[in-house]
Amino acid sequence: MKRYDERDTMFARMVYKKGSKAYEDYYARNHEKKAIDDELRDMPELCSPETPTYDPVDAKIPDANFKFLADIRQLAEGEKNGNKTPIEAENISERLKKLALYYGAKHAGIAKMQEYHYYSHRGRLPEHYGEKVTDLLPYGIAFTVEMKREGVDKAPLLPEIIESSRAYVEAAVIGMQLAYFIRELGYGARVHMDGNYLIIAPLVARDAGIGVIGRHGLLITPKYGTSVRIGVVTTDMPLVPDQKLDIQIEKFCEICGLCASTCPGRAIPEGPRQEIDGILKWQVNQEKCYGFWRKVGTDCGICMKSCPFGKSIELLDLLKPKFIENPSKLFKEHLNRE
């Protein structure tokens, strides 16, 4: 898998202000994206008064959460203790995962970091635009925090983005606690949080064995399904990686397709997987997805709301013989329960 350039994500592209150096550089190299990006950029911002979901009080909650995240992102990196504490890889690996759960995470696992986990270049923060990502720390601790169903089930209304932003804050705080602890032990650690990622979190979480990635591009986890947000801390501390979940999620997603059929932006492909850059996968159209966000004024969440995992189907059921032999039966049972 090749490394992905953060400058090509919608979140980065929407930061490029007309006339800025980043704007001029990016669209000089990506002429085909300029028209759609300018159109999206001119639409009302999320949680703004011009959007149909706006509330003068509640809309300030996610705004406040994201401003808080922006204020603490400088803490993602820090100096390590000069006195290194001797550790044993297997013991500290288990200790870190248990600590993440103690702090409130719902799942925790360790991945051996690969180059494809890391962005090739930074793009979202103007002060780092275009910088190559070169500090490829060898291990990643991935964890999830729960998005409460009462928020997810209100998608695409304001309660969904309130809950989404709350979960991003929770993931950032847990990541900080883990990273500060690792640094105190004398090892390097970097928090990857909303607005300040060097990595593609779902890929790290998948390879850390805490979930699988579905048709909608979201991480699907045991018990909570897609109703999670992901945190990652990378480190040079020697750790023991976990095994990926051996679940053929594509067999279920090929039959299900609820996320695609309910997506208001028509951003999730309904057909079979396609080969993209040598990988057979479903590719979400990020322009269509983000375009609906700007129309509705929230980060939507209908794909999470419609996904059967975390509602009436447990991910680990897919390891049972009845699924392996007849995946369509499990999906029909879900529809009947719905």
Side-chain angles (χ1 to χ4, degrees):
M1 294 175 62
K2 71 175 186 179
R3 294 171 68 183
Y4 193 75
D5 191 330
E6 189 189 27
R7 292 174 292 185
D8 291 327
T9 65
M10 289 308 306
F11 302 112
R13 286 153 58 183
M14 290 299 100
V15 171
Y16 308 150
K17 304 298 183 184
K18 293 181 180 179
S20 68
K21 289 183 179 179
Y23 182 95
E24 298 299 331
D25 173 77
Y26 186 78
Y27 296 110
R29 294 183 296 103
N30 299 275
H31 304 281
E32 74 285 357
K33 295 175 181 174
K34 184 175 182 299
I36 182 61
D37 285 6
D38 283 343
E39 181 181 338
L40 292 171
R41 199 176 283 108
D42 290 338
M43 294 174 69
E45 296 281 352
L46 302 187
C47 299
S48 67
E50 298 80 13
T51 58
T53 57
Y54 177 74
D55 179 273
V57 175
D58 287 351
K60 301 302 182 184
I61 300 173
D63 282 348
N65 285 336
F66 287 121
K67 285 182 180 178
F68 173 67
L69 287 166
D71 286 345
I72 67 170
R73 66 186 177 209
Q74 62 182 328
L75 304 175
E77 301 176 32
E79 294 296 321
K80 61 186 177 183
N81 191 331
N83 297 316
K84 186 171 289 188
T85 302
I87 55 99
E88 196 279 321
E90 185 172 350
N91 288 341
I92 197 64
S93 297
E94 291 304 311
R95 184 69 177 272
L96 285 168
K97 287 184 285 185
K98 288 178 180 178
L99 192 57
L101 298 176
Y102 175 74
Y103 286 149
K106 299 304 181 184
H107 313 87
I110 294 170
K112 180 72 173 70
M113 297 295 290
Q114 307 296 327
E115 284 201 7
Y116 65 78
H117 290 139
Y118 286 94
Y119 287 123
S120 61
H121 297 76
R122 302 185 70 173
R124 188 163 176 178
L125 299 177
E127 63 269 29
H128 295 294
Y129 175 85
E131 291 180 7
K132 290 184 178 181
V133 177
T134 57
D135 191 12
L136 310 187
L137 295 175
Y139 296 97
I141 305 133
F143 59 90
T144 65
V145 298
E146 179 187 6
M147 283 184 64
K148 299 172 184 177
R149 287 302 311 190
E150 56 262 38
V152 174
D153 287 342
K154 293 291 196 312
L157 304 179
L158 268 177
E160 188 280 333
I161 194 171
I162 290 172
E163 178 56 22
S164 173
S165 62
R166 182 207 64 79
Y168 277 124
V169 169
E170 185 180 359
V173 171
I174 293 173
M176 295 289 182
Q177 290 173 295
L178 294 174
Y180 272 68
F181 171 56
I182 293 170
R183 292 182 202 133
E184 280 301 302
L185 293 175
Y187 296 86
R190 210 269 187 194
V191 182
H192 302 270
M193 52 178 281
D194 182 74
N196 194 9
Y197 296 102
L198 298 183
I199 51 88
I200 301 173
L203 295 183
V204 180
R206 179 200 65 188
D207 291 355
I210 63 177
V212 293
I213 298 175
R215 178 190 289 267
H216 38 41
L218 301 174
L219 186 74
I220 303 171
T221 64
K223 186 177 179 180
Y224 299 96
T226 58
S227 298
V228 295
R229 283 289 180 253
I230 306 167
V232 175
V233 174
T234 50
T235 180
D236 58 7
M237 174 182 280
L239 299 175
V240 178
D242 290 294
Q243 295 296 315
K244 292 167 63 173
L245 289 176
D246 186 18
I247 293 176
Q248 295 179 306
I249 190 64
E250 65 279 358
K251 292 177 66 176
F252 184 90
C253 290
E254 285 169 357
I255 297 164
C256 177
L258 284 174
C259 59
S261 61
T262 58
C263 175
R266 314 313 299 165
I268 302 172
E270 293 185 311
R273 293 175 295 162
Q274 303 293 321
E275 186 173 314
I276 301 171
D277 296 327
I279 305 294
L280 195 62
K281 63 180 180 178
W282 289 289
Q283 181 69 59
V284 175
N285 184 309
Q286 60 174 339
E287 289 82 6
K288 290 182 178 180
C289 177
Y290 185 75
F292 183 76
W293 288 21
R294 295 292 281 257
K295 287 178 183 177
V296 75
T298 72
D299 55 4
C300 186
I302 289 178
C303 53
M304 289 190 295
K305 177 181 176 179
S306 64
C307 185
F309 293 101
K311 294 167 64 178
S312 57
I313 294 183
E314 160 58 43
L315 178 65
L316 298 182
D317 284 347
L318 273 59
L319 292 173
K320 297 178 180 178
K322 70 175 183 178
F323 170 74
I324 296 170
E325 295 167 4
N326 191 356
S328 62
K329 183 178 179 182
L330 185 62
F331 177 60
K332 289 176 183 176
E333 290 174 358
H334 158 70
L335 291 180
N336 290 336
R337 287 192 291 266
E338 286 288 286

